[in-house]
Amino acid sequence: MPPSAVTGSPRQPRSRALVKTLGYRLLMIVVTVVVAWLVLGDLRDAASIGIVANAVKTGTYYAYERFWDRIAWGLSEP
């Protein structure tokens, strides 16, 4: 029987996943604000879009990262 692709425990600590998530989202806030500013021409509206959109995406990304951390598929054996 082939080994399961899903492991029972995460491969990294929650703190690492959280730091990665927050760093990535901060980068994405900047990108979103710049693009929205170029499109809208209004920095206040662009900042609002960047902050709200990325606040929602931060939680989603963290959950997604934690889910994939339990999947062994595509990783070499330790």
Side-chain angles (χ1 to χ4, degrees):
M1 174 181 273
S4 174
V6 178
T7 63
S9 61
R11 298 175 60 89
Q12 66 182 336
R14 288 178 195 257
S15 58
R16 183 174 192 268
L18 183 59
V19 168
K20 285 172 54 180
T21 298
L22 295 176
Y24 179 79
R25 291 318 320 166
L26 182 60
L27 176 62
M28 291 300 99
I29 287 171
V30 172
V31 169
T32 303
V33 169
V34 169
V35 170
W37 187 19
L38 292 173
V39 171
L40 299 174
D42 184 277
L43 186 56
R44 176 175 260 168
D45 287 345
S48 295
I49 290 169
I51 292 168
V52 170
N54 284 285
V56 171
K57 292 176 183 180
T58 298
T60 305
Y61 178 80
Y62 179 77
Y64 186 76
E65 176 75 16
R66 296 301 292 169
F67 169 77
W68 269 99
D69 193 46
R70 294 177 181 268
I71 298 175
W73 174 82
L75 297 174
S76 60
E77 291 296 318

